[in-house]
Amino acid sequence: MCVRLIIVSGIIFFGFFCSLSAANAKEIRIPISLDYQLLTALVRQSSYTGPETTAELLNEGAGCIRLILSNPDFSGGDSAVHFSSDLYLHVGTPVGGTCLMPYEWEGSIAVSQMPQLNNETWELTFKTVDLTVYSSDNAPVRSLNLIWDRLLPVIDSYMQGFSITLTPPVEDLKNLILPLFKAEAQREAEMLLHSIRPGSIDVDTVGLTVNVIADAAEVDAQANTDVIEKMTDAELESFLEFWETWDSLLIYLVSLLAEQHLTESEKSSLITLILDTRYEFMTRVNDRTTGRDFVRDQFVEGWAELSQIFRKYYLHNPEESGLGYLSFITAADALVILDELGPTFGIEISRNGLIRLARILGGEKLELEYSQEINRALQQLFESEPSRDPDDSSRESSLIDKKDTFSLTKIFRSVEAYLFPSAFAEALPTFSEIKKWQVPGDDLTEYLGRVRALLKSTQTSLAIKKDLPEKIQALYHNLVPAVAWQESCFRQFVVADRKLTYLLSSNKSSVGIMQVNERVWRGIYDRQRLRWDIRYNAFAGCEIINLYMHKYVLAKSGAGILADDETLAQLVYAMYNGGPRQYDKFLERKAARDFYKSDDLFKEKYSWVKTDSWNNIEKCL
């Protein structure tokens, strides 16, 4: 009797526990989106493997009876998937080694199908609900003879054999989820994983979406508090490591996309995403209240930008593992969806989660290393070429008027070779070369003259190379030295602790005469040469100014702004100092007449350059 009571009590308790868990669980839907272009590509790969993407369904009597499908294509409507394919039929009577009374027919078929998903194997198949045969002039064939009575079941059987396994994206999704849960929520993580199951299949004009269903249970979250505490040194180090992992993932993904034939709009979107992400980090990293939510928000916003470009270029080429990229995109979408559940479900976008996501694409050995090495894909995206050979004047000479080609190029190259012999060399300058750019303690005239010549040579080279409009070249001529004046007071090197070293900003992120930010421009410029090669640093700064001029100021500004060189200069400097988002923010400050101190200081330097007030250099040197 006692044993029976214990068993009954256990059953009641277990039932209560399960009902409680179910009551607290939230059903989530994670979509696996397959557009029709991807479906078509996958069917081509699996079922149209003959010459010129064909599928031979029949070949009898030494080719006397042949049935061949070609040019498969998926489309869709409100509920059904539509599949079409060209059809070639050769029919005769095989006698011995000959084919009597041969007959050829060409047309097409159109099939309406209902997608189905096997709940156990995650195999996506298609059930035919209607099939129509069309002649070569696209007219439906109304009366079908005995031949078609035999052929249609063969065609229908072949098409219902189309099968796409969704096991890879589902398994990758499961492997991704576990690292997202906090240590105290591992039981809830296991429950979520075991609850994953197929849901509905939605069909529309774009494609079909297979919904993966899972149940997420709430955990005992700590009470929220309005008290915001500064991060400790250990917490700050952990945050920096987390952000660097995110930045490394972003660059890894952008580098993959940069290999494609992107449109100019797509290139600009990726450049803006990188710069906005990095500049925002630099703006907020000194605020020790900035924590993990900052990285999470950047990932969510960044993926919204990246996902559409990834779908466009990487889902429709099975030779490049269309399903592999589908796994990655599904997992990244899941990260965003799961993140919306919040901490009450024990889920957070973590460093391990980002690494796991990257390895879905790059394999288990992929490391998201925060490297300072040059990334050629990034350089190509940013159209950066700071290391070109100084003797290669083909680009410049082609853009100069032919009658001036020899004299201008020769003079330009001679001056450049004399002043900056190591300008583009891969090796770092020697100490004696570095010492030449130490600011003298007395007469500044000679030093300032050499610096101005260096900047003029650099900006002239880029103005020719980038084919800047003539009206902009005058602005550029004054803008570059004004930026150098504002950023470094024309210094690449300073003496610290009785040692000559490179100029480093107060937040230890920007270096040299143009104060190029090493975190923002990581992978695009050589870190050591930014520090020790004044010519390289100047060239990098001029390239950055040119980037903002071309891709933002000239592209976005109306006639009124373009006619105002002072506003143009301030716009470029605002972005140079704070990233692309400063374009709109500066115009807002200008409209409200509420400028940053840096706006006013740069305006002062720009006016000094325009009026040749170089004697003011003594105020900062």
Side-chain angles (χ1 to χ4, degrees):
M1 180 67 180
C2 182
V3 174
R4 180 181 178 186
L5 180 61
I6 293 174
I7 294 174
V8 172
S9 299
I11 293 173
I12 293 173
F13 176 78
F14 180 75
F16 172 76
F17 174 80
C18 290
S19 64
L20 183 63
S21 299
N24 291 338
K26 177 182 176 65
E27 184 178 272
I28 58 175
R29 292 173 177 262
I30 300 172
I32 302 179
S33 300
L34 301 100
D35 64 27
Y36 295 121
Q37 191 175 354
L38 174 59
L39 280 177
T40 300
L42 292 173
V43 167
R44 284 175 182 267
Q45 183 189 38
S46 63
S47 303
Y48 281 68
T49 57
E52 300 181 359
T53 318
T54 58
E56 188 172 64
L57 277 58
L58 285 176
N59 189 340
E60 299 176 358
C64 193
I65 301 176
R66 297 184 70 196
L67 177 62
I68 299 174
L69 300 180
S70 60
N71 297 324
D73 184 62
F74 275 102
S75 60
D78 295 332
S79 58
V81 172
H82 304 309
F83 177 79
S84 64
S85 185
D86 291 342
L87 189 151
Y88 169 78
L89 176 64
H90 184 283
V91 180
T93 303
V95 177
T98 63
C99 184
L100 301 180
M101 302 174 60
Y103 170 74
E104 291 184 317
W105 186 90
E106 293 185 14
S108 62
I109 53 170
V111 187
S112 292
Q113 298 177 308
M114 296 299 297
Q116 299 176 321
L117 188 64
N118 186 298
N119 290 346
E120 300 295 329
T121 64
W122 292 90
E123 291 287 328
L124 180 66
T125 56
F126 302 88
K127 180 180 179 180
T128 300
V129 295
D130 184 60
L131 189 154
T132 305
V133 179
Y134 290 88
S135 61
S136 58
D137 58 0
N138 293 322
V141 179
R142 299 299 182 186
S143 58
L144 300 176
N145 54 31
L146 293 176
I147 295 177
W148 286 110
D149 289 341
R150 179 194 171 190
L151 296 181
L152 288 182
V154 174
I155 297 172
D156 182 44
S157 175
Y158 189 77
M159 288 185 297
Q160 295 203 62
F162 294 164
S163 175
I164 298 171
T165 178
L166 297 182
T167 302
V170 172
E171 289 302 313
D172 284 328
L173 180 60
K174 290 180 178 180
N175 293 333
L176 173 74
I177 287 176
L178 203 57
L180 302 180
F181 281 83
K182 299 176 183 177
E184 61 269 24
Q186 289 304 297
R187 185 177 67 86
E188 286 76 7
E190 294 290 346
M191 290 174 59
L192 186 146
L193 287 174
H194 285 110
S195 71
I196 287 179
R197 59 196 183 274
S200 63
I201 301 177
D202 302 324
V203 179
D204 57 28
T205 56
V206 176
L208 59 87
T209 301
V210 177
N211 291 295
V212 178
I213 306 299
D215 299 320
E218 293 187 18
V219 299
D220 293 329
Q222 294 180 352
N224 190 20
T225 175
D226 293 332
V227 178
I228 300 177
E229 297 181 353
K230 293 282 187 178
M231 284 189 290
T232 65
D233 289 343
E235 289 170 336
L236 179 61
E237 183 178 351
S238 176
F239 164 72
L240 290 176
E241 185 179 34
F242 186 23
W243 184 85
E244 288 175 354
T245 300
W246 151 234
D247 186 62
S248 300
L249 173 62
L250 174 61
I251 299 309
Y252 171 63
L253 299 179
V254 170
S255 297
L256 288 175
L257 291 171
E259 297 173 355
Q260 303 298 318
H261 297 294
L262 301 174
T263 66
E264 289 303 314
S265 175
E266 290 165 344
K267 290 179 183 178
S268 294
S269 294
L270 294 178
I271 289 171
T272 300
L273 174 60
I274 292 172
L275 294 178
D276 279 344
T277 298
R278 290 177 167 183
Y279 271 110
E280 185 182 15
F281 166 77
M282 291 306 307
T283 300
R284 296 179 58 180
V285 71
N286 292 327
D287 177 5
R288 285 178 174 246
T289 60
T290 298
R292 305 182 75 84
D293 285 352
F294 172 73
V295 180
R296 184 199 72 198
D297 292 343
Q298 282 204 332
F299 170 80
V300 172
E301 293 176 10
W303 179 243
E305 190 75 34
L306 289 169
S307 61
Q308 296 305 314
I309 305 179
F310 253 94
R311 291 179 189 278
K312 175 180 176 181
Y313 288 100
Y314 279 105
L315 279 187
H316 308 130
N317 187 357
E319 286 74 17
E320 294 189 8
S321 184
L323 276 178
Y325 284 101
L326 179 64
S327 293
F328 166 74
I329 290 174
T330 299
D333 288 343
L335 264 185
V336 176
I337 293 169
L338 292 170
D339 176 71
E340 294 175 355
L341 296 177
T344 57
F345 288 86
I347 298 173
E348 63 178 6
I349 293 179
S350 65
R351 180 173 181 269
N352 286 338
L354 296 181
I355 293 173
R356 180 68 255 166
L357 179 64
R359 287 177 177 173
I360 292 175
L361 272 186
E364 289 299 319
K365 294 184 179 180
L366 176 68
E367 296 292 339
L368 287 180
E369 182 183 359
Y370 190 77
S371 171
Q372 298 294 341
E373 298 298 317
I374 290 293
N375 183 309
R376 297 302 181 191
L378 271 189
Q379 283 193 330
Q380 181 180 355
L381 177 66
F382 278 78
E383 299 177 4
S384 172
E385 299 178 76
S387 300
R388 63 175 179 77
D389 185 343
D391 293 327
D392 180 11
S393 58
S394 58
R395 169 66 176 163
E396 284 79 358
S397 63
S398 67
L399 295 173
I400 301 174
D401 187 75
K402 287 185 177 180
K403 65 181 180 180
D404 295 327
T405 296
F406 176 78
S407 57
L408 282 178
T409 303
K410 184 175 181 179
I411 293 172
F412 173 76
R413 291 302 177 189
S414 298
V415 173
E416 188 173 54
Y418 174 75
L419 289 175
F420 327 113
S422 63
F424 300 99
E426 292 297 332
L428 294 175
T430 64
F431 178 74
S432 60
E433 291 172 326
I434 291 172
K435 193 169 177 57
K436 291 177 183 178
W437 295 102
Q438 180 179 355
V439 180
D442 44 17
D443 184 14
L444 298 176
T445 304
E446 189 273 340
Y447 174 80
L448 182 59
R450 283 193 293 121
V451 172
R452 290 177 59 191
L454 180 151
L455 295 173
K456 184 175 182 180
S457 171
T458 305
Q459 69 194 39
T460 300
S461 172
L462 270 170
I464 296 172
K465 176 183 174 183
K466 300 296 184 179
D467 199 16
L468 281 177
E470 186 175 346
K471 65 177 182 179
I472 297 299
Q473 288 190 33
L475 167 68
Y476 194 55
H477 175 76
N478 294 321
L479 179 57
V480 169
V483 171
W485 198 336
Q486 171 68 14
E487 291 294 292
S488 68
C489 196
F490 299 112
R491 295 172 298 168
Q492 176 73 19
F493 304 107
V494 293
V495 176
D497 296 329
R498 295 187 298 179
K499 293 181 180 179
L500 187 64
T501 186
Y502 53 86
L503 179 65
L504 184 64
S505 63
S506 58
N507 63 1
K508 303 186 184 306
S509 63
S510 301
V511 296
I513 187 171
M514 301 302 286
Q515 286 292 279
V516 179
N517 192 294
E518 294 180 336
R519 281 193 181 270
V520 171
W521 300 98
R522 180 180 74 89
I524 302 168
Y525 296 109
D526 185 305
R527 185 185 194 185
Q528 294 304 317
R529 295 187 69 195
L530 285 175
R531 293 177 172 186
W532 298 107
D533 188 338
I534 186 173
R535 178 66 175 93
Y536 186 91
N537 191 291
F539 200 98
C542 288
E543 274 200 331
I544 294 167
I545 290 172
N546 178 76
L547 172 77
Y548 286 129
M549 184 84 75
H550 262 293
K551 292 194 176 296
Y552 298 95
V553 172
L554 296 180
K556 296 176 64 174
S557 302
I561 295 177
L562 292 175
D564 182 355
D565 74 315
E566 187 175 275
T567 298
L568 282 176
Q570 287 183 288
L571 266 173
V572 173
Y573 178 72
M575 288 186 288
Y576 189 93
N577 196 39
R581 290 181 181 175
Q582 284 297 319
Y583 180 92
D584 293 325
K585 290 182 178 180
F586 174 79
L587 292 180
E588 291 171 2
R589 296 197 296 273
K590 181 177 175 63
R593 296 185 180 277
D594 183 20
F595 294 103
Y596 291 166
K597 184 178 181 179
S598 59
D599 297 329
D600 293 329
L601 289 174
F602 173 76
K603 182 179 178 181
E604 179 182 62
K605 306 301 188 303
Y606 185 70
S607 67
W608 288 348
V609 172
K610 287 184 67 176
T611 58
D612 288 327
S613 301
W614 300 103
N615 58 306
N616 286 312
I617 195 68
E618 296 179 355
K619 295 182 179 181
C620 61
L621 277 183

